[in-house]
Amino acid sequence: PSSDPLGVFTAGFTFIRAFGITVLLSLSSDSKGLYHCIPGCFHDVCLVRSIPAYQDPMAVERANLLNMAKLSIKGLIESALSFGRTLDSDYPPLQQFFVVMEHCLKHGLKVKKSFLGYNKSLWGPLELVEKLCPEAGEIAASVRDLPGLKTPLGRARAWLRLALMQKRLADYLRCLITRKDLLSEFYESSAVMLEEEGAVIVGLLVGLNVIDANLCVKGEDLDTQVSGRLFTHRTLRVEIAVCGDQFAFSATQGDVDVELNTYKQSRQGLDEMYNEARRQLREECQLRQDVENELVVQVSMKQEMEMAMKLLEKDIHEKQDTLIGLRHQLDEVKAINVEMYQKMQSSDDSLKQKNEMIARLEEKTNQITATMKQLEQRLQEAEKDRSQAEDGMRKFKQHFASKVDGVLKQITQREKQMLQIETDLKIEREWRQTLQNDLEKEQKTVLQLRTEAQQIIGLKKEFHRLQDENRQLKGVCEEQEKALEELGYKLSESKLKIEDIKEANKALQGGQVWLKDKDATHCKLCDKEFSISRRKHHCRNCGEIFCNACSDNELPLPASPKPVRVCDTCHALLLQRCSSTAT
């Protein structure tokens, strides 16, 4: 239909014409199945296998789209590597790749109802990538900010181009196909993006990370459809041949005779030209043989260099494993030191608590001994009073025998006092006994505390022993750190050797040093940081990366007669060289 000029639909057949290759997507149901040979727009021909009537048409479409994607991605990688430069928007294999990806993303897309009618939009599922992968938010915001894009299809095409320039197209689509629950809102159950073919296509897209592309999204009209009809040199040659045949039939016999004489006269010159061309062909074959021999030598040298690099990388990996093991041992030693330090702190705290307890017990024992001394003094005073009373009673009996009644009364009183004193004395003895028992208990407690103090002294000795072990472990750690420093020095020497080998390899391969995009974050001249608005551009003369303002010059180079982009420094240098050669 007219809304999709990239596909040509006929009764019962569905085709895709993608810049040089036409593929049959599906067939109408018939009882036998057919073989179809479909010529493309260029010199390619695609043969579609026989499709039985009982096979699922959607499965056939998925298989054919997968084959188209494989062919397109493989052709783009091979042509880009042979081209050896940054790809632009006019590169035909790149245009073919974008058309194939658009058809893969459109396959099985559900029709959405809107105010303007029913439509299929690729921008809906691609917007999900921003939620699933936050790194894609930058290109999504850039696509929304582009003023020239008015349709969702144009935004989807711009998103594909920006993702390819970021070399993250495979990562973004991998995040998308893992969430089939979200994709089911936009695609049918048998769509490519929901089946295994989608995962295979996403895996093939990883190979595009080796391609450097510089696509101007602002200048392109991405909203309009790409024309599906392209004329080639072959069709022009066929039309010219048909016109020539008609003219030959209308010519007269006299003209034929004149042409025959002219042919005979020019036949001799053509033979001479043929002999000369044959001689040149032999010389070129000899030169090609020499170049192939030299190429074989270069390839063998390159293989030897690669083998040496692999050996060095293996050595580096082994040393890195050794470093990792030593670091693990160092971490274990540090953990042991921390544990010993914690034990030392806990033992110090317990020692302080026990010392405080011993001080309190000593104070209590001092108080008990003072109380016992006071009781002993009172007991001595009571015994003195008793002895005095007994002496007075004897004296009273001797001197005052006549006064028996009064003495008896006094005696009874004294006896009562004496009984009271005895009871007091018994109470004092019982109290002394209880104090002695308490003193024995306190002495037992003091003995226990002394044993605990001895245990603390043993813990101190154990702590000193652990400190000695800690010092030994620190010595071992210092030796291991020295070994790590020596290994780091050897590793740096190995890295320097690898860099020297890489530079020698580059020198053997010849050509200029083409700086990679990821190695440059600022312009080499103005030192401004690159971004989405300030793009990276390679100078075709020196291979360095500059911004557009510092590399907007074009000059023909020995490697390219067509004017190509050069930086301001190379532009001035080349102009000076041209002026000096002219003078």
mmCIF file with all atom_site columns, all heavy atoms in Angstrom, residues 97-117:
data_model
loop_
_atom_site.group_PDB
_atom_site.id
_atom_site.type_symbol
_atom_site.label_atom_id
_atom_site.label_alt_id
_atom_site.label_comp_id
_atom_site.label_asym_id
_atom_site.label_entity_id
_atom_site.label_seq_id
_atom_site.pdbx_PDB_ins_code
_atom_site.Cartn_x
_atom_site.Cartn_y
_atom_site.Cartn_z
_atom_site.occupancy
_atom_site.B_iso_or_equiv
_atom_site.pdbx_formal_charge
_atom_site.auth_seq_id
_atom_site.auth_comp_id
_atom_site.auth_asym_id
_atom_site.auth_atom_id
_atom_site.pdbx_PDB_model_num
ATOM 1   N N   . PHE A 1 97  ? 20.763  -1.411  6.552  1.00 0.00 ? 97  PHE A N   1
ATOM 2   C CA  . PHE A 1 97  ? 20.653  -1.952  7.907  1.00 0.00 ? 97  PHE A CA  1
ATOM 3   C C   . PHE A 1 97  ? 19.501  -1.297  8.667  1.00 0.00 ? 97  PHE A C   1
ATOM 4   O O   . PHE A 1 97  ? 18.708  -1.971  9.338  1.00 0.00 ? 97  PHE A O   1
ATOM 5   C CB  . PHE A 1 97  ? 21.973  -1.729  8.656  1.00 0.00 ? 97  PHE A CB  1
ATOM 6   C CG  . PHE A 1 97  ? 21.869  -1.909  10.140 1.00 0.00 ? 97  PHE A CG  1
ATOM 7   C CD1 . PHE A 1 97  ? 21.718  -3.172  10.687 1.00 0.00 ? 97  PHE A CD1 1
ATOM 8   C CD2 . PHE A 1 97  ? 21.881  -0.809  10.989 1.00 0.00 ? 97  PHE A CD2 1
ATOM 9   C CE1 . PHE A 1 97  ? 21.601  -3.334  12.048 1.00 0.00 ? 97  PHE A CE1 1
ATOM 10  C CE2 . PHE A 1 97  ? 21.758  -0.972  12.342 1.00 0.00 ? 97  PHE A CE2 1
ATOM 11  C CZ  . PHE A 1 97  ? 21.623  -2.247  12.872 1.00 0.00 ? 97  PHE A CZ  1
ATOM 12  N N   . PHE A 1 98  ? 19.373  0.045   8.562  1.00 0.00 ? 98  PHE A N   1
ATOM 13  C CA  . PHE A 1 98  ? 18.301  0.726   9.271  1.00 0.00 ? 98  PHE A CA  1
ATOM 14  C C   . PHE A 1 98  ? 16.925  0.308   8.756  1.00 0.00 ? 98  PHE A C   1
ATOM 15  O O   . PHE A 1 98  ? 15.965  0.181   9.525  1.00 0.00 ? 98  PHE A O   1
ATOM 16  C CB  . PHE A 1 98  ? 18.463  2.242   9.159  1.00 0.00 ? 98  PHE A CB  1
ATOM 17  C CG  . PHE A 1 98  ? 19.541  2.798   10.044 1.00 0.00 ? 98  PHE A CG  1
ATOM 18  C CD1 . PHE A 1 98  ? 20.546  3.606   9.535  1.00 0.00 ? 98  PHE A CD1 1
ATOM 19  C CD2 . PHE A 1 98  ? 19.559  2.503   11.398 1.00 0.00 ? 98  PHE A CD2 1
ATOM 20  C CE1 . PHE A 1 98  ? 21.532  4.109   10.348 1.00 0.00 ? 98  PHE A CE1 1
ATOM 21  C CE2 . PHE A 1 98  ? 20.548  3.009   12.219 1.00 0.00 ? 98  PHE A CE2 1
ATOM 22  C CZ  . PHE A 1 98  ? 21.532  3.804   11.692 1.00 0.00 ? 98  PHE A CZ  1
ATOM 23  N N   . VAL A 1 99  ? 16.810  0.069   7.445  1.00 0.00 ? 99  VAL A N   1
ATOM 24  C CA  . VAL A 1 99  ? 15.526  -0.369  6.885  1.00 0.00 ? 99  VAL A CA  1
ATOM 25  C C   . VAL A 1 99  ? 15.173  -1.757  7.414  1.00 0.00 ? 99  VAL A C   1
ATOM 26  O O   . VAL A 1 99  ? 14.033  -2.033  7.797  1.00 0.00 ? 99  VAL A O   1
ATOM 27  C CB  . VAL A 1 99  ? 15.602  -0.360  5.346  1.00 0.00 ? 99  VAL A CB  1
ATOM 28  C CG1 . VAL A 1 99  ? 14.363  -1.023  4.753  1.00 0.00 ? 99  VAL A CG1 1
ATOM 29  C CG2 . VAL A 1 99  ? 15.713  1.062   4.833  1.00 0.00 ? 99  VAL A CG2 1
ATOM 30  N N   . VAL A 1 100 ? 16.160  -2.666  7.469  1.00 0.00 ? 100 VAL A N   1
ATOM 31  C CA  . VAL A 1 100 ? 15.905  -4.023  7.960  1.00 0.00 ? 100 VAL A CA  1
ATOM 32  C C   . VAL A 1 100 ? 15.530  -3.982  9.441  1.00 0.00 ? 100 VAL A C   1
ATOM 33  O O   . VAL A 1 100 ? 14.596  -4.674  9.887  1.00 0.00 ? 100 VAL A O   1
ATOM 34  C CB  . VAL A 1 100 ? 17.142  -4.917  7.727  1.00 0.00 ? 100 VAL A CB  1
ATOM 35  C CG1 . VAL A 1 100 ? 16.961  -6.268  8.407  1.00 0.00 ? 100 VAL A CG1 1
ATOM 36  C CG2 . VAL A 1 100 ? 17.376  -5.117  6.243  1.00 0.00 ? 100 VAL A CG2 1
ATOM 37  N N   . MET A 1 101 ? 16.219  -3.175  10.259 1.00 0.00 ? 101 MET A N   1
ATOM 38  C CA  . MET A 1 101 ? 15.888  -3.062  11.672 1.00 0.00 ? 101 MET A CA  1
ATOM 39  C C   . MET A 1 101 ? 14.486  -2.480  11.876 1.00 0.00 ? 101 MET A C   1
ATOM 40  O O   . MET A 1 101 ? 13.749  -2.900  12.768 1.00 0.00 ? 101 MET A O   1
ATOM 41  C CB  . MET A 1 101 ? 16.923  -2.174  12.387 1.00 0.00 ? 101 MET A CB  1
ATOM 42  C CG  . MET A 1 101 ? 18.252  -2.830  12.631 1.00 0.00 ? 101 MET A CG  1
ATOM 43  S SD  . MET A 1 101 ? 18.095  -4.345  13.612 1.00 0.00 ? 101 MET A SD  1
ATOM 44  C CE  . MET A 1 101 ? 17.343  -3.706  15.083 1.00 0.00 ? 101 MET A CE  1
ATOM 45  N N   . GLU A 1 102 ? 14.115  -1.536  11.013 1.00 0.00 ? 102 GLU A N   1
ATOM 46  C CA  . GLU A 1 102 ? 12.772  -0.966  11.115 1.00 0.00 ? 102 GLU A CA  1
ATOM 47  C C   . GLU A 1 102 ? 11.710  -2.033  10.854 1.00 0.00 ? 102 GLU A C   1
ATOM 48  O O   . GLU A 1 102 ? 10.690  -2.107  11.554 1.00 0.00 ? 102 GLU A O   1
ATOM 49  C CB  . GLU A 1 102 ? 12.639  0.182   10.118 1.00 0.00 ? 102 GLU A CB  1
ATOM 50  C CG  . GLU A 1 102 ? 11.327  0.930   10.212 1.00 0.00 ? 102 GLU A CG  1
ATOM 51  C CD  . GLU A 1 102 ? 11.301  2.123   9.268  1.00 0.00 ? 102 GLU A CD  1
ATOM 52  O OE1 . GLU A 1 102 ? 12.385  2.603   8.890  1.00 0.00 ? 102 GLU A OE1 1
ATOM 53  O OE2 . GLU A 1 102 ? 10.189  2.550   8.922  1.00 0.00 ? 102 GLU A OE2 1
ATOM 54  N N   . HIS A 1 103 ? 11.943  -2.899  9.873  1.00 0.00 ? 103 HIS A N   1
ATOM 55  C CA  . HIS A 1 103 ? 10.977  -3.962  9.585  1.00 0.00 ? 103 HIS A CA  1
ATOM 56  C C   . HIS A 1 103 ? 10.965  -5.018  10.687 1.00 0.00 ? 103 HIS A C   1
ATOM 57  O O   . HIS A 1 103 ? 9.899   -5.561  11.010 1.00 0.00 ? 103 HIS A O   1
ATOM 58  C CB  . HIS A 1 103 ? 11.298  -4.609  8.236  1.00 0.00 ? 103 HIS A CB  1
ATOM 59  C CG  . HIS A 1 103 ? 10.745  -3.840  7.073  1.00 0.00 ? 103 HIS A CG  1
ATOM 60  N ND1 . HIS A 1 103 ? 9.451   -3.973  6.631  1.00 0.00 ? 103 HIS A ND1 1
ATOM 61  C CD2 . HIS A 1 103 ? 11.313  -2.896  6.278  1.00 0.00 ? 103 HIS A CD2 1
ATOM 62  C CE1 . HIS A 1 103 ? 9.246   -3.175  5.599  1.00 0.00 ? 103 HIS A CE1 1
ATOM 63  N NE2 . HIS A 1 103 ? 10.355  -2.503  5.361  1.00 0.00 ? 103 HIS A NE2 1
ATOM 64  N N   . CYS A 1 104 ? 12.120  -5.292  11.288 1.00 0.00 ? 104 CYS A N   1
ATOM 65  C CA  . CYS A 1 104 ? 12.155  -6.247  12.400 1.00 0.00 ? 104 CYS A CA  1
ATOM 66  C C   . CYS A 1 104 ? 11.374  -5.721  13.599 1.00 0.00 ? 104 CYS A C   1
ATOM 67  O O   . CYS A 1 104 ? 10.652  -6.462  14.270 1.00 0.00 ? 104 CYS A O   1
ATOM 68  C CB  . CYS A 1 104 ? 13.606  -6.541  12.811 1.00 0.00 ? 104 CYS A CB  1
ATOM 69  S SG  . CYS A 1 104 ? 14.544  -7.482  11.594 1.00 0.00 ? 104 CYS A SG  1
ATOM 70  N N   . LEU A 1 105 ? 11.507  -4.418  13.882 1.00 0.00 ? 105 LEU A N   1
ATOM 71  C CA  . LEU A 1 105 ? 10.783  -3.829  15.008 1.00 0.00 ? 105 LEU A CA  1
ATOM 72  C C   . LEU A 1 105 ? 9.301   -3.659  14.710 1.00 0.00 ? 105 LEU A C   1
ATOM 73  O O   . LEU A 1 105 ? 8.479   -3.627  15.635 1.00 0.00 ? 105 LEU A O   1
ATOM 74  C CB  . LEU A 1 105 ? 11.398  -2.467  15.367 1.00 0.00 ? 105 LEU A CB  1
ATOM 75  C CG  . LEU A 1 105 ? 12.817  -2.509  15.942 1.00 0.00 ? 105 LEU A CG  1
ATOM 76  C CD1 . LEU A 1 105 ? 13.367  -1.101  16.079 1.00 0.00 ? 105 LEU A CD1 1
ATOM 77  C CD2 . LEU A 1 105 ? 12.824  -3.200  17.289 1.00 0.00 ? 105 LEU A CD2 1
ATOM 78  N N   . LYS A 1 106 ? 8.926   -3.540  13.425 1.00 0.00 ? 106 LYS A N   1
ATOM 79  C CA  . LYS A 1 106 ? 7.525   -3.395  13.056 1.00 0.00 ? 106 LYS A CA  1
ATOM 80  C C   . LYS A 1 106 ? 6.794   -4.727  13.017 1.00 0.00 ? 106 LYS A C   1
ATOM 81  O O   . LYS A 1 106 ? 5.568   -4.758  13.006 1.00 0.00 ? 106 LYS A O   1
ATOM 82  C CB  . LYS A 1 106 ? 7.410   -2.735  11.686 1.00 0.00 ? 106 LYS A CB  1
ATOM 83  C CG  . LYS A 1 106 ? 7.507   -1.230  11.698 1.00 0.00 ? 106 LYS A CG  1
ATOM 84  C CD  . LYS A 1 106 ? 7.243   -0.671  10.314 1.00 0.00 ? 106 LYS A CD  1
ATOM 85  C CE  . LYS A 1 106 ? 7.266   0.842   10.311 1.00 0.00 ? 106 LYS A CE  1
ATOM 86  N NZ  . LYS A 1 106 ? 7.017   1.378   8.965  1.00 0.00 ? 106 LYS A NZ  1
ATOM 87  N N   . HIS A 1 107 ? 7.521   -5.838  12.969 1.00 0.00 ? 107 HIS A N   1
ATOM 88  C CA  . HIS A 1 107 ? 6.868   -7.133  12.801 1.00 0.00 ? 107 HIS A CA  1
ATOM 89  C C   . HIS A 1 107 ? 5.998   -7.464  14.020 1.00 0.00 ? 107 HIS A C   1
ATOM 90  O O   . HIS A 1 107 ? 6.450   -7.456  15.145 1.00 0.00 ? 107 HIS A O   1
ATOM 91  C CB  . HIS A 1 107 ? 7.919   -8.230  12.618 1.00 0.00 ? 107 HIS A CB  1
ATOM 92  C CG  . HIS A 1 107 ? 7.329   -9.579  12.341 1.00 0.00 ? 107 HIS A CG  1
ATOM 93  N ND1 . HIS A 1 107 ? 7.159   -10.515 13.326 1.00 0.00 ? 107 HIS A ND1 1
ATOM 94  C CD2 . HIS A 1 107 ? 6.840   -10.122 11.201 1.00 0.00 ? 107 HIS A CD2 1
ATOM 95  C CE1 . HIS A 1 107 ? 6.631   -11.592 12.797 1.00 0.00 ? 107 HIS A CE1 1
ATOM 96  N NE2 . HIS A 1 107 ? 6.420   -11.380 11.513 1.00 0.00 ? 107 HIS A NE2 1
ATOM 97  N N   . GLY A 1 108 ? 4.747   -7.758  13.764 1.00 0.00 ? 108 GLY A N   1
ATOM 98  C CA  . GLY A 1 108 ? 3.823   -8.119  14.833 1.00 0.00 ? 108 GLY A CA  1
ATOM 99  C C   . GLY A 1 108 ? 3.411   -6.965  15.714 1.00 0.00 ? 108 GLY A C   1
ATOM 100 O O   . GLY A 1 108 ? 2.897   -7.183  16.809 1.00 0.00 ? 108 GLY A O   1
ATOM 101 N N   . LEU A 1 109 ? 3.606   -5.717  15.283 1.00 0.00 ? 109 LEU A N   1
ATOM 102 C CA  . LEU A 1 109 ? 3.267   -4.556  16.097 1.00 0.00 ? 109 LEU A CA  1
ATOM 103 C C   . LEU A 1 109 ? 1.752   -4.375  16.121 1.00 0.00 ? 109 LEU A C   1
ATOM 104 O O   . LEU A 1 109 ? 1.095   -4.432  15.084 1.00 0.00 ? 109 LEU A O   1
ATOM 105 C CB  . LEU A 1 109 ? 3.954   -3.308  15.540 1.00 0.00 ? 109 LEU A CB  1
ATOM 106 C CG  . LEU A 1 109 ? 3.983   -2.065  16.417 1.00 0.00 ? 109 LEU A CG  1
ATOM 107 C CD1 . LEU A 1 109 ? 4.797   -2.333  17.668 1.00 0.00 ? 109 LEU A CD1 1
ATOM 108 C CD2 . LEU A 1 109 ? 4.574   -0.901  15.647 1.00 0.00 ? 109 LEU A CD2 1
ATOM 109 N N   . LYS A 1 110 ? 1.200   -4.188  17.311 1.00 0.00 ? 110 LYS A N   1
ATOM 110 C CA  . LYS A 1 110 ? -0.241  -4.015  17.442 1.00 0.00 ? 110 LYS A CA  1
ATOM 111 C C   . LYS A 1 110 ? -0.661  -2.639  16.940 1.00 0.00 ? 110 LYS A C   1
ATOM 112 O O   . LYS A 1 110 ? 0.087   -1.667  17.015 1.00 0.00 ? 110 LYS A O   1
ATOM 113 C CB  . LYS A 1 110 ? -0.662  -4.173  18.899 1.00 0.00 ? 110 LYS A CB  1
ATOM 114 C CG  . LYS A 1 110 ? -0.521  -5.577  19.434 1.00 0.00 ? 110 LYS A CG  1
ATOM 115 C CD  . LYS A 1 110 ? -1.004  -5.644  20.873 1.00 0.00 ? 110 LYS A CD  1
ATOM 116 C CE  . LYS A 1 110 ? -0.859  -7.058  21.424 1.00 0.00 ? 110 LYS A CE  1
ATOM 117 N NZ  . LYS A 1 110 ? -1.304  -7.138  22.835 1.00 0.00 ? 110 LYS A NZ  1
ATOM 118 N N   . VAL A 1 111 ? -1.889  -2.586  16.443 1.00 0.00 ? 111 VAL A N   1
ATOM 119 C CA  . VAL A 1 111 ? -2.449  -1.324  15.956 1.00 0.00 ? 111 VAL A CA  1
ATOM 120 C C   . VAL A 1 111 ? -3.027  -0.570  17.148 1.00 0.00 ? 111 VAL A C   1
ATOM 121 O O   . VAL A 1 111 ? -3.816  -1.114  17.924 1.00 0.00 ? 111 VAL A O   1
ATOM 122 C CB  . VAL A 1 111 ? -3.531  -1.589  14.894 1.00 0.00 ? 111 VAL A CB  1
ATOM 123 C CG1 . VAL A 1 111 ? -4.145  -0.273  14.438 1.00 0.00 ? 111 VAL A CG1 1
ATOM 124 C CG2 . VAL A 1 111 ? -2.941  -2.343  13.726 1.00 0.00 ? 111 VAL A CG2 1
ATOM 125 N N   . LYS A 1 112 ? -2.607  0.672   17.308 1.00 0.00 ? 112 LYS A N   1
ATOM 126 C CA  . LYS A 1 112 ? -3.075  1.512   18.398 1.00 0.00 ? 112 LYS A CA  1
ATOM 127 C C   . LYS A 1 112 ? -4.113  2.502   17.874 1.00 0.00 ? 112 LYS A C   1
ATOM 128 O O   . LYS A 1 112 ? -3.967  3.083   16.792 1.00 0.00 ? 112 LYS A O   1
ATOM 129 C CB  . LYS A 1 112 ? -1.907  2.288   19.028 1.00 0.00 ? 112 LYS A CB  1
ATOM 130 C CG  . LYS A 1 112 ? -0.879  1.400   19.692 1.00 0.00 ? 112 LYS A CG  1
ATOM 131 C CD  . LYS A 1 112 ? -1.418  0.771   20.937 1.00 0.00 ? 112 LYS A CD  1
ATOM 132 C CE  . LYS A 1 112 ? -0.341  -0.052  21.623 1.00 0.00 ? 112 LYS A CE  1
ATOM 133 N NZ  . LYS A 1 112 ? -0.830  -0.676  22.856 1.00 0.00 ? 112 LYS A NZ  1
ATOM 134 N N   . LYS A 1 113 ? -5.161  2.688   18.647 1.00 0.00 ? 113 LYS A N   1
ATOM 135 C CA  . LYS A 1 113 ? -6.211  3.620   18.269 1.00 0.00 ? 113 LYS A CA  1
ATOM 136 C C   . LYS A 1 113 ? -5.907  4.984   18.866 1.00 0.00 ? 113 LYS A C   1
ATOM 137 O O   . LYS A 1 113 ? -5.625  5.113   20.043 1.00 0.00 ? 113 LYS A O   1
ATOM 138 C CB  . LYS A 1 113 ? -7.560  3.111   18.775 1.00 0.00 ? 113 LYS A CB  1
ATOM 139 C CG  . LYS A 1 113 ? -8.730  3.973   18.317 1.00 0.00 ? 113 LYS A CG  1
ATOM 140 C CD  . LYS A 1 113 ? -10.045 3.375   18.804 1.00 0.00 ? 113 LYS A CD  1
ATOM 141 C CE  . LYS A 1 113 ? -11.220 4.240   18.343 1.00 0.00 ? 113 LYS A CE  1
ATOM 142 N NZ  . LYS A 1 113 ? -12.521 3.698   18.814 1.00 0.00 ? 113 LYS A NZ  1
ATOM 143 N N   . SER A 1 114 ? -5.989  6.031   18.009 1.00 0.00 ? 114 SER A N   1
ATOM 144 C CA  . SER A 1 114 ? -5.738  7.393   18.458 1.00 0.00 ? 114 SER A CA  1
ATOM 145 C C   . SER A 1 114 ? -6.822  8.308   17.902 1.00 0.00 ? 114 SER A C   1
ATOM 146 O O   . SER A 1 114 ? -7.776  7.859   17.252 1.00 0.00 ? 114 SER A O   1
ATOM 147 C CB  . SER A 1 114 ? -4.342  7.854   18.002 1.00 0.00 ? 114 SER A CB  1
ATOM 148 O OG  . SER A 1 114 ? -4.271  7.873   16.605 1.00 0.00 ? 114 SER A OG  1
ATOM 149 N N   . PHE A 1 115 ? -6.660  9.615   18.138 1.00 0.00 ? 115 PHE A N   1
ATOM 150 C CA  . PHE A 1 115 ? -7.645  10.566  17.640 1.00 0.00 ? 115 PHE A CA  1
ATOM 151 C C   . PHE A 1 115 ? -7.621  10.652  16.119 1.00 0.00 ? 115 PHE A C   1
ATOM 152 O O   . PHE A 1 115 ? -8.634  10.965  15.491 1.00 0.00 ? 115 PHE A O   1
ATOM 153 C CB  . PHE A 1 115 ? -7.365  11.962  18.238 1.00 0.00 ? 115 PHE A CB  1
ATOM 154 C CG  . PHE A 1 115 ? -7.593  12.005  19.716 1.00 0.00 ? 115 PHE A CG  1
ATOM 155 C CD1 . PHE A 1 115 ? -6.530  11.989  20.596 1.00 0.00 ? 115 PHE A CD1 1
ATOM 156 C CD2 . PHE A 1 115 ? -8.882  12.027  20.237 1.00 0.00 ? 115 PHE A CD2 1
ATOM 157 C CE1 . PHE A 1 115 ? -6.728  12.020  21.965 1.00 0.00 ? 115 PHE A CE1 1
ATOM 158 C CE2 . PHE A 1 115 ? -9.078  12.059  21.614 1.00 0.00 ? 115 PHE A CE2 1
ATOM 159 C CZ  . PHE A 1 115 ? -8.021  12.064  22.481 1.00 0.00 ? 115 PHE A CZ  1
ATOM 160 N N   . LEU A 1 116 ? -6.474  10.407  15.507 1.00 0.00 ? 116 LEU A N   1
ATOM 161 C CA  . LEU A 1 116 ? -6.352  10.512  14.049 1.00 0.00 ? 116 LEU A CA  1
ATOM 162 C C   . LEU A 1 116 ? -6.672  9.206   13.349 1.00 0.00 ? 116 LEU A C   1
ATOM 163 O O   . LEU A 1 116 ? -6.566  9.121   12.137 1.00 0.00 ? 116 LEU A O   1
ATOM 164 C CB  . LEU A 1 116 ? -4.935  10.965  13.689 1.00 0.00 ? 116 LEU A CB  1
ATOM 165 C CG  . LEU A 1 116 ? -4.518  12.319  14.277 1.00 0.00 ? 116 LEU A CG  1
ATOM 166 C CD1 . LEU A 1 116 ? -3.080  12.624  13.909 1.00 0.00 ? 116 LEU A CD1 1
ATOM 167 C CD2 . LEU A 1 116 ? -5.437  13.429  13.786 1.00 0.00 ? 116 LEU A CD2 1
ATOM 168 N N   . GLY A 1 117 ? -6.977  8.144   14.079 1.00 0.00 ? 117 GLY A N   1
ATOM 169 C CA  . GLY A 1 117 ? -7.278  6.862   13.448 1.00 0.00 ? 117 GLY A CA  1
ATOM 170 C C   . GLY A 1 117 ? -6.429  5.752   14.048 1.00 0.00 ? 117 GLY A C   1
ATOM 171 O O   . GLY A 1 117 ? -5.997  5.824   15.190 1.00 0.00 ? 117 GLY A O   1
#
